[in-house]
Amino acid sequence: SAEALKHDEL
Amino acid sequence: MNAFRLLADLTHLLSIIILLVKIRTTKSCAGISLKTQDLYVLVFISRYLDLFTRPLSLYNTPFKLVFLATSITIVYYMRYHKVVKQTYNKDSDTFKHYFLILPCAVLAFFINPKFTFIEVLWSFSIYLEAVAILPQLVLLQSSSNIDNLTGNYVFMLGAYRALYLLNWIYRFFAEDVVRWIPWIAGLVQTALYADFFYYYIKSWRNNERLKLP
């Protein structure tokens, strides 16, 4: 999903 | 951003600072696995290629640059510094770390958020990070004497992912965020420390030197 592609964590 | 996440990243940073302090002040990397450190360089390079593709972030970007720079610095010290490299326990650092890389690459090839170069490398880095501590744990088990800085370094490194677990639980309820790949890998990563945590806390409570059986 698009949500999963965000990778806002380190 | 929540308190667990912030605390997790600061703990991760602190673990690296502890290791660098140990290396720089004692001029020794005794008890530290070069294989684990090599794997961290690979983890950070493959995960943070997105520095080139993602908009800059005031929080994430400096962390990424620091993690890349410090992991490369640590490996440089252990391999090339004329005093430090002589303290490396090469004969005890026996884990065949190359055997971790291929399974993680295969897993990333099949299990990823999207089949693109960046996303497969990102998944690879998540899987590899989960198991990268194994050479370090094997080295500690063969050490009769674990110095405080090394013990604290490994503890902080484990605590960092444990705090991420709390962050993920928080985000699941507060933000409806679901990220199966890092969650499961992070759970495995934290579980690998369970034994170490047990003996670390035990030695701390008894005020004894840390020793793994």
Side-chain angles (χ1 to χ4, degrees):
Chain A
S1 70
E3 186 65 24
L5 294 177
K6 283 184 179 168
H7 303 327
D8 52 359
E9 293 175 346
L10 290 164
Chain B
M1 181 61 64
N2 58 69
F4 301 120
R5 163 77 195 283
L6 180 64
L7 205 57
D9 291 334
L10 292 178
T11 304
H12 193 185
L13 189 61
L14 183 62
S15 75
I16 294 168
I17 291 171
I18 291 172
L19 180 52
L20 276 169
V21 164
K22 170 191 159 76
I23 291 175
R24 282 190 56 100
T25 59
T26 67
K27 288 283 179 288
S28 163
C29 64
I32 301 298
S33 165
L34 179 57
K35 293 176 172 181
T36 285
Q37 298 304 320
D38 276 343
L39 293 178
Y40 283 136
V41 170
L42 193 56
V43 163
F44 290 134
I45 289 176
S46 43
R47 188 174 309 164
Y48 297 152
L49 277 180
D50 69 359
L51 278 167
F52 297 104
T53 63
R54 206 175 287 277
L56 295 183
S57 144
L58 265 178
Y59 182 87
N60 281 351
T61 306
F63 265 111
K64 291 177 181 180
L65 292 172
V66 166
F67 289 154
L68 277 167
T70 50
S71 63
I72 292 167
T73 304
I74 290 162
V75 165
Y76 178 83
Y77 266 111
M78 293 184 72
R79 279 187 195 281
Y80 303 112
H81 189 282
K82 65 180 193 301
V83 181
V84 175
K85 74 176 182 189
Q86 289 174 28
T87 63
Y88 168 48
N89 310 117
K90 192 173 193 299
D91 297 333
S92 310
D93 198 10
T94 51
F95 195 92
K96 301 279 182 285
H97 66 319
Y98 291 117
F99 288 114
L100 295 175
I101 297 173
L102 188 65
C104 290
V106 171
L107 200 59
F109 191 83
F110 290 105
I111 304 177
N112 50 62
K114 195 181 180 190
F115 193 66
T116 64
F117 182 66
I118 292 265
E119 292 302 316
V120 170
L121 272 182
W122 175 86
S123 310
F124 168 69
S125 82
I126 294 288
Y127 303 141
L128 191 61
E129 185 189 348
V131 292
I133 196 63
L134 288 172
Q136 179 65 61
L137 292 176
V138 167
L139 175 56
L140 287 186
Q141 271 175 353
S142 70
S143 314
S144 50
N145 226 326
I146 302 168
D147 65 82
N148 282 334
L149 286 172
T150 302
N152 292 342
Y153 164 67
V154 176
F155 180 77
M156 291 297 169
L157 205 52
Y160 131 72
R161 221 44 173 176
L163 287 165
Y164 255 92
L165 294 180
L166 299 180
N167 157 56
W168 292 326
I169 293 168
Y170 174 86
R171 294 192 71 181
F172 175 76
F173 289 108
E175 301 168 28
D176 240 358
V177 169
V178 178
R179 308 269 159 93
W180 289 112
I181 292 174
W183 285 4
I184 293 171
L187 200 60
V188 170
Q189 185 172 345
T190 309
L192 292 181
Y193 286 87
D195 213 41
F196 176 85
F197 284 152
Y198 173 77
Y199 291 105
Y200 180 91
I201 292 166
K202 197 171 145 192
S203 78
W204 177 73
R205 285 180 51 161
N206 298 341
N207 220 351
E208 290 167 345
R209 203 174 244 291
L210 176 60
K211 193 176 178 305
L212 302 183

